[in-house]
Amino acid sequence: MDIEDVTTFVEVADAGGISGAARRLGVSKSIVSRRLLRLETELGVQLLARTTRGAALTEAGVTFRNHAAIVRAEIEAAKEIIRPAGDLRGRLRISVPLTFGPTHFAPIIAEMARRHPQLHVHTAYSDRFVDIVAEGFDCAIRVGYLQDSNLIARRVGRIYGKLVASPDYIKAHGVPETLDELIAHEALMQGTETWQFMNGDEIVTVHPRGRFKADNGTALAVAAAAGLGVAWLPDCVTHQYIASGALVAVMKRHPPPSAGAYVVRPPGQHPSRKVQALTELLIERLEENPPIA
């Protein structure tokens, strides 16, 4: 059984179809189809049910995919172990937030590529939630407070932020000073996230409500400056607005706890050396310039 065929099948299963797998592997759809046919012939079973919307795993395909993914991970781990130290090859796909990824993380990722000239680094910048498993990323850099998931996370830096609003909004709606008062205010959010605040030594979680949402921190800062509501934003996004007076900090008696920058990767026993090297470089650089602000 050809390991390349097995790897291709795992990519098709995770991408939800042949076209997505072809893009992730950097080969033509005909090559992917040929590998799948060869694998099914070898196994004597149908692994995928082709449909007009893509491909769905058969019962046999579901079972084989789980074992095949473990085999692929073990082989990748073995290849990395026997390679000379520092000799990173192949492709590293990273999902990075757009809000301040280009300013805070891009220089570190560029340094990663400089240190490892045989490594192909592909970075996607977006503030949308990225399913790194389904979309074939090796890892993602995420900021804020992590939601519960089966991903493995490593904290690489600290982030400080505050709740802000415009003087016009405060004039019209008043200043929220307590956690109970905050619930009544218009919240500007990226999605359905929760906000956390310090109440003495205790961390309290608040579920804000509001009609304006955007998947980008800079867009939320613009909305806050326009008087649409209150927003929790990192200091690196709001410092110019606060310096100009366009935004002011609120809820000073209940500051948010420091958030974090994290490297998250798919679950598995063996973190790749590529992801490990990026994680260590991020920790090294962010410790030199703490916190992210």
Side-chain angles (χ1 to χ4, degrees), residues 146 152-157 261-265 276 279-280 283:
L146 290 185
I152 297 173
R154 175 80 182 276
R155 183 166 172 159
V156 296
Y262 300 86
V263 172
V264 299
R265 63 177 177 85
Q276 186 64 31
T279 302
E280 292 172 355
I283 292 172

Side-chain angles (χ1 to χ4, degrees), residues 174-205:
V175 180
E177 296 183 350
T178 69
L179 297 174
D180 289 337
E181 290 176 357
L182 178 60
I183 297 299
H185 283 262
E186 280 286 330
L188 310 176
M189 300 177 290
Q190 290 202 10
T192 58
E193 70 269 20
T194 58
W195 289 347
Q196 293 183 331
F197 298 93
M198 299 303 300
N199 186 20
D201 295 330
E202 179 186 7
I203 296 178
V204 178
T205 298

Side-chain angles (χ1 to χ4, degrees), residues 30-276:
S30 62
I31 290 177
V32 173
S33 297
R34 192 158 54 244
R35 291 175 182 173
L36 285 175
L37 179 60
R38 192 163 55 210
L39 181 61
E40 289 179 324
T41 301
E42 175 73 21
L43 292 171
V45 296
Q46 184 179 1
L47 299 174
L48 291 164
R50 281 73 167 176
T51 69
T52 55
R53 300 177 63 182
L57 293 178
T58 64
E59 184 178 354
V62 171
T63 300
F64 187 72
R65 187 263 169 217
N66 294 335
H67 291 282
I70 295 172
V71 170
R72 182 183 66 169
E74 292 291 340
I75 290 176
E76 289 299 317
K79 287 163 62 177
E80 290 194 340
I81 289 171
I82 64 175
R83 284 174 182 155
D87 185 19
L88 298 183
R89 300 172 182 269
R91 182 184 64 178
L92 176 62
R93 294 192 71 219
I94 316 163
S95 172
V96 184
L98 178 62
T99 294
F100 48 88
T103 54
H104 288 75
F105 298 124
I108 302 174
I109 295 171
E111 174 64 14
M112 175 79 176
R114 189 195 67 79
R115 291 187 182 186
H116 304 283
Q118 298 186 76
L119 182 66
H120 294 254
V121 180
H122 297 181
T123 311
Y125 290 88
S126 174
D127 281 334
R128 71 177 178 86
F129 178 80
V130 175
D131 185 335
I132 63 173
V133 176
E135 298 184 41
F137 286 94
D138 296 288
C139 65
I141 299 173
R142 291 185 176 162
V143 298
Y145 307 106
L146 290 185
Q147 303 294 323
D148 290 337
S149 75
N150 65 342
L151 301 178
I152 297 173
R154 175 80 182 276
R155 183 166 172 159
V156 296
R158 292 173 296 152
I159 296 176
Y160 289 101
K162 56 176 62 73
L163 205 68
V164 295
S166 73
D168 287 342
Y169 178 87
I170 291 172
K171 183 178 179 179
H173 302 279
V175 180
E177 296 183 350
T178 69
L179 297 174
D180 289 337
E181 290 176 357
L182 178 60
I183 297 299
H185 283 262
E186 280 286 330
L188 310 176
M189 300 177 290
Q190 290 202 10
T192 58
E193 70 269 20
T194 58
W195 289 347
Q196 293 183 331
F197 298 93
M198 299 303 300
N199 186 20
D201 295 330
E202 179 186 7
I203 296 178
V204 178
T205 298
V206 173
H207 298 275
R209 295 188 297 268
R211 65 184 180 86
F212 186 92
K213 297 181 180 181
D215 65 354
N216 178 268
T218 302
L220 292 176
V222 171
L228 294 182
V230 296
W232 184 98
L233 291 167
D235 291 345
C236 60
V237 174
T238 60
H239 71 276
Q240 290 184 335
Y241 289 90
I242 290 176
S244 68
L247 292 174
V248 297
V250 298
M251 294 290 293
K252 294 182 180 180
R253 288 191 295 172
H254 298 282
S258 64
Y262 300 86
V263 172
V264 299
R265 63 177 177 85
Q269 275 189 316
H270 305 285
S272 72
R273 287 178 56 231
K274 295 175 287 188
V275 173
Q276 186 64 31

